[in-house]
Amino acid sequence: MKDGALLTAEKITGGYGKIDILHDVSLSVRPGEIVSIIGPNGAGKSTAFKTIVGLLRPRTGTINFNGEDITGLRPDLVLRRGLAYVPQGRIVFPQMTVLENLEMGAYIVTETARVTAALERVYALFPVLAERRKQKAGTMSGGEQQMVAIGRALMTVPKLILLDEPSLGLAPKFVTLIFEKLVEMKRAGYTLMLVEQNAARALAIADRGYVLELGRNRFEGPGQRLLADPDVKRLYLGG
Ligand SMILES: Nc1ncnc2c1ncn2[C@@H]1O[C@H](COP(=O)(O)OP(=O)(O)O)[C@@H](O)[C@H]1O
Ligand SMILES: [Mg+2]
């Protein structure tokens, strides 16, 4: 394990059934960082996240989180260790109110005082959710639903939160807002790893970034360095 890392995925090989999608993929996150993963469609970015959170079991490789080997651990137990996951597609319970959605996120938290404290932190980050707490989530805009989905993950007070394509399919003003919120979350002390199609913006806010291609590590480094790298620019940033 790398010194001081909160999460280390080391040489992960695996995928779906007998088909390997990931080949020796390694990723790490240090406390307080934003780490962005970019790469073409089908590169294995979502598969990497699903493997880290326990939805898929790697065939080889190890995943260490907060000093513990979590390789192959069940998703609910991974969540209890403090690793939250916001899947692609801003999934909310549409018939439930914003508040009910957030409370669902806290299902692993038993003490009422802790739920209240978590709710206050989520409302401080997303004031619109406090204003709309009685509104059915299904009636909100895409950007607001994404805030509900993120807020729900934050209700467990995670040590690390993985976000898969948080800006995908959102109207431009909400794309900007979500990236601002990610930076705000970092300032508030959260540690984030995200996958993004919006590669330039994801690298611009990242302490470090990774480029995955065809299930392999292709480039990695500080976000600003990747942004300025001529090969990364040409191949992945449309420049
Ligand atoms: N449930 C699944 N079963 C089988 N293959 C899948 C499944 N989900 C994704 N794949 C395949 O895994 C590869 C990587 O997909 P994915 O991790 O979703 O890529 P990315 O998130 O980088 O776009 C693709 O070839 C995709 O078709
Ligand atoms: Mg994906």
Side-chain angles (χ1 to χ4, degrees):
M1 181 178 142
K2 278 178 196 153
D3 279 342
L6 177 59
L7 174 79
T8 315
E10 195 126 21
K11 297 198 164 195
I12 300 299
T13 295
Y16 307 89
K18 290 205 162 95
I19 300 167
D20 286 341
I21 301 292
L22 306 173
H23 306 275
D24 285 336
V25 168
S26 296
L27 303 166
S28 72
V29 185
R30 299 190 195 104
E33 280 189 317
I34 295 181
V35 172
S36 293
I37 303 173
I38 65 163
N41 251 326
K45 304 182 298 296
S46 295
T47 304
F49 272 14
K50 287 184 228 165
T51 307
I52 289 168
V53 302
L55 293 169
L56 298 172
R57 180 183 276 269
R59 199 161 56 72
T60 63
T62 55
I63 301 159
N64 194 288
F65 178 67
N66 199 30
E68 191 187 348
D69 186 345
I70 61 160
T71 319
L73 197 65
R74 261 169 33 206
D76 58 312
L77 297 178
V78 171
L79 180 64
R80 282 173 196 275
R81 299 290 191 282
L83 207 175
Y85 168 54
V86 182
Q88 196 173 316
R90 50 176 183 279
I91 299 152
V92 299
F93 301 102
Q95 296 302 329
M96 290 167 67
T97 66
V98 168
L99 177 58
E100 287 163 349
N101 267 274
L102 295 174
E103 285 171 345
M104 286 292 283
Y107 78 99
I108 63 167
V109 184
T110 45
E111 300 131 72
T112 316
R114 284 186 61 205
V115 176
T116 308
L119 196 57
E120 271 164 26
R121 278 188 86 186
V122 170
Y123 284 162
L125 190 62
F126 301 115
V128 67
L129 298 186
E131 289 161 23
R132 308 282 191 87
R133 61 185 175 277
K134 291 181 181 158
Q135 187 174 333
K136 282 190 177 171
T139 66
M140 300 175 91
S141 72
E144 289 162 352
Q145 290 187 20
Q146 185 59 279
M147 290 187 248
V148 173
I150 296 172
R152 201 175 52 206
L154 295 182
M155 287 298 291
T156 58
V157 194
K159 295 182 180 72
L160 171 63
I161 173 166
L162 304 191
L163 302 119
D164 195 345
E165 306 274 9
S167 82
L168 188 72
L170 299 183
K173 73 164 185 178
F174 279 117
V175 172
T176 301
L177 180 64
I178 288 294
F179 277 103
E180 283 169 5
K181 289 297 177 187
L182 298 176
V183 173
E184 243 181 80
M185 284 165 68
K186 176 188 155 90
R187 265 195 246 117
Y190 291 106
T191 305
L192 316 176
M193 179 154 72
L194 55 136
V195 159
E196 259 297 331
Q197 286 295 308
N198 218 320
R201 291 177 100 144
L203 292 178
I205 65 162
D207 295 286
R208 291 184 308 108
Y210 292 89
V211 181
L212 295 190
E213 188 172 311
L214 297 172
R216 293 175 197 279
N217 286 77
R218 180 81 199 270
F219 295 96
E220 67 179 85
Q224 296 299 330
R225 200 168 80 207
L226 290 177
L227 259 183
D229 184 294
D231 289 326
V232 173
K233 263 190 189 164
R234 180 172 49 83
L235 294 166
Y236 310 103
L237 304 176

